[in-house]
Amino acid sequence: MSRRDVLNGIFADTTRELAAANFSKETDGGRVLAGPVRTMGLALDRMDQEARELREALKSGERVVELDPELIDGSFVRDRLDGEVSATDDIVRSIEENGQEVPILVRQHPDLEGRYQVAYGHRRLRAVRLLRRKVRAVVRPLSDNELVVAQGIENTARKDLSYIERAVFALSLETHGFGRDLIMQALSTDKTELSKLLSVARGIPGSLVKAIGAAPSMGRRRWMDIAEKITDSKALEAARNATHRPEFEALGSDERFMIVLAEVSKKPQQEQTIREWRPNGGKVAAKIRDTGRAYTLSLKTAEADEGFGAYLTERLDDLYADWQANRKPKQE
């Protein structure tokens, strides 16, 4: 059986399995849930892309070789925040059961003799490494520019990089000295969207992004919301404090995002001062609270001074007029 037949078989089986799962998950009203539909769409896109990659590699006469995964390093520009794989991940189980049908793309390492560098296929490489197998790869001479374009276009075609991963990838490319035209080509985006991606990536500290993770369900508006709010140093401190809570790391990435967004969206509490006033020889006392926008005076008087509160109230107009007159600069 040819590789193409195998891929077509896997594609058909996956379609049937996802369709069955999809239509078994309905709401009370009979409406199909959006989550399974999206999952099926992404899986079909991924299968179609993998089949296309294999056809193109074989059509161009490139040879698929088997390499020791320990001789292969990642790209010099990272594009994923949650790149690790485990034995229970779908990609690991698929390769274990069906073999690695789609090769990864690598180049000879530009600085290390006898080693290679991945252009795309990082998760496949990790899965094969976990399974202690050889990795099937196409070795192609690539410049740095060609590598990042191949890396970016492959991820864009798969539609599985989250918004913040695209933003971080764009900033990483710019930091490495790549021009805007090449970055737009790698991300298949335009100048306006690239500016927004870079703005978000610059506005949110890398440590905070790493703590939150890829947050695959969160789009541009919500990430921009966080970036805008943490320009306030107190909001940034609140975000960082949230990531240090014991339960934070155990949550899913989308949940971590929502916790941080909720923290930075809280209105800051007004600082207040509290002082007491007690005149010499008098039996009256006052507690004064001042938040800057609210001023509260609470009087406590003995029987001999019980009329002081009414006296003070009657003179509020005069006191206010006197305060206004004295706060204005004197005119010459």
Side-chain angles (χ1 to χ4, degrees):
M1 182 181 292
S2 69
R3 291 192 188 93
R4 186 172 184 174
D5 292 335
V6 172
L7 275 172
N8 287 337
I10 296 171
F11 186 86
D13 291 343
T14 303
T15 302
R16 285 192 295 270
E17 290 172 8
L18 287 170
N22 182 41
F23 288 103
S24 67
K25 294 180 179 180
E26 297 183 346
T27 61
D28 293 338
R31 181 172 57 83
V32 179
L33 292 175
V37 173
R38 182 175 182 275
T39 300
M40 183 174 73
L42 289 175
L44 296 183
D45 284 340
R46 184 158 50 249
M47 294 295 293
D48 185 48
Q49 173 67 12
E50 290 178 350
R52 192 159 53 246
E53 288 168 9
L54 180 57
R55 287 197 300 269
E56 289 174 358
L58 297 176
K59 189 188 298 181
S60 63
E62 293 178 316
R63 195 161 54 93
V64 178
V65 298
E66 289 191 342
L67 300 173
D68 181 349
E70 299 306 321
L71 296 177
I72 304 174
D73 299 317
S75 169
F76 61 92
V77 181
R78 184 167 182 177
D79 54 16
R80 292 184 181 275
L81 296 174
D82 303 326
E84 297 305 317
V85 296
S86 67
T88 58
D89 286 350
D90 289 342
I91 191 170
V92 177
R93 287 189 285 189
S94 175
I95 292 175
E96 185 176 26
E97 294 171 6
N98 305 301
Q100 183 203 341
E101 289 300 328
V102 182
I104 66 174
L105 177 63
V106 302
R107 68 173 179 177
Q108 298 281 351
H109 200 291
D111 302 316
L112 301 173
E113 184 71 27
R115 296 193 66 83
Y116 300 88
Q117 195 172 54
V118 180
Y120 60 71
H122 288 80
R123 296 189 77 242
R124 275 169 273 172
L125 175 62
R126 293 186 182 97
V128 170
R129 189 177 284 153
L130 190 65
L131 294 168
R132 299 183 182 278
R133 298 183 181 183
K134 296 281 188 179
V135 65
R136 302 180 69 248
V138 171
V139 183
R140 183 183 299 170
L142 297 168
S143 66
D144 286 354
N145 284 10
E146 289 169 335
L147 184 142
V148 297
V149 168
Q151 182 179 351
I153 290 177
E154 193 258 0
N155 281 322
T156 300
R158 288 173 177 271
K159 302 177 183 177
D160 60 356
L161 277 191
S162 70
Y163 184 83
I164 195 62
E165 285 177 316
R166 283 168 54 81
V168 170
F169 184 45
L171 182 60
S172 183
L173 289 176
E174 186 180 68
T175 303
H176 277 82
F178 293 101
R180 291 287 179 96
D181 289 343
L182 184 134
I183 300 174
M184 286 189 288
Q185 183 183 354
L187 287 168
S188 300
T189 192
D190 58 28
K191 187 180 296 185
T192 301
E193 181 58 25
L194 177 58
S195 294
K196 292 175 181 177
L197 286 165
L198 291 171
S199 176
V200 168
R202 292 194 193 101
I204 305 176
S207 58
L208 184 56
V209 171
K210 184 177 180 181
I212 294 172
S217 300
M218 305 303 159
R220 173 171 55 86
R221 287 187 179 181
R222 283 185 164 177
W223 279 105
M224 289 185 73
D225 199 13
I226 284 184
E228 290 168 4
K229 284 180 166 58
I230 63 174
T231 55
D232 184 313
S233 60
K234 290 183 179 179
L236 177 57
E237 183 181 1
R240 284 176 168 155
N241 289 340
T243 67
H244 294 149
R245 294 174 188 166
E247 69 276 12
F248 187 82
E249 192 174 346
L251 299 172
S253 184
D254 286 332
E255 293 174 299
R256 295 197 295 267
F257 178 96
M258 293 306 297
I259 284 177
V260 170
L261 180 60
E263 287 298 318
V264 301
S265 299
K266 290 179 180 178
K267 292 183 178 180
Q269 293 183 345
Q270 294 279 357
E271 292 185 7
Q272 67 175 4
T273 60
I274 301 176
R275 60 191 180 92
E276 292 188 351
W277 171 77
R278 186 187 297 273
N280 292 331
K283 295 184 179 180
V284 62
K287 181 174 286 188
I288 303 162
R289 299 175 185 267
D290 186 4
T291 67
R293 297 184 66 89
Y295 188 90
T296 306
L297 186 148
S298 176
L299 283 174
K300 185 177 181 181
T301 60
E303 184 177 351
D305 296 315
E306 63 183 11
F308 179 67
Y311 175 84
L312 182 62
T313 303
E314 290 170 0
R315 281 155 180 75
L316 284 177
D317 288 340
D318 293 336
L319 290 169
Y320 183 66
D322 183 63
W323 174 77
Q324 282 190 313
N326 285 292
R327 76 186 272 238
K328 292 179 181 178
K330 294 182 180 179
Q331 297 184 1
E332 296 180 357

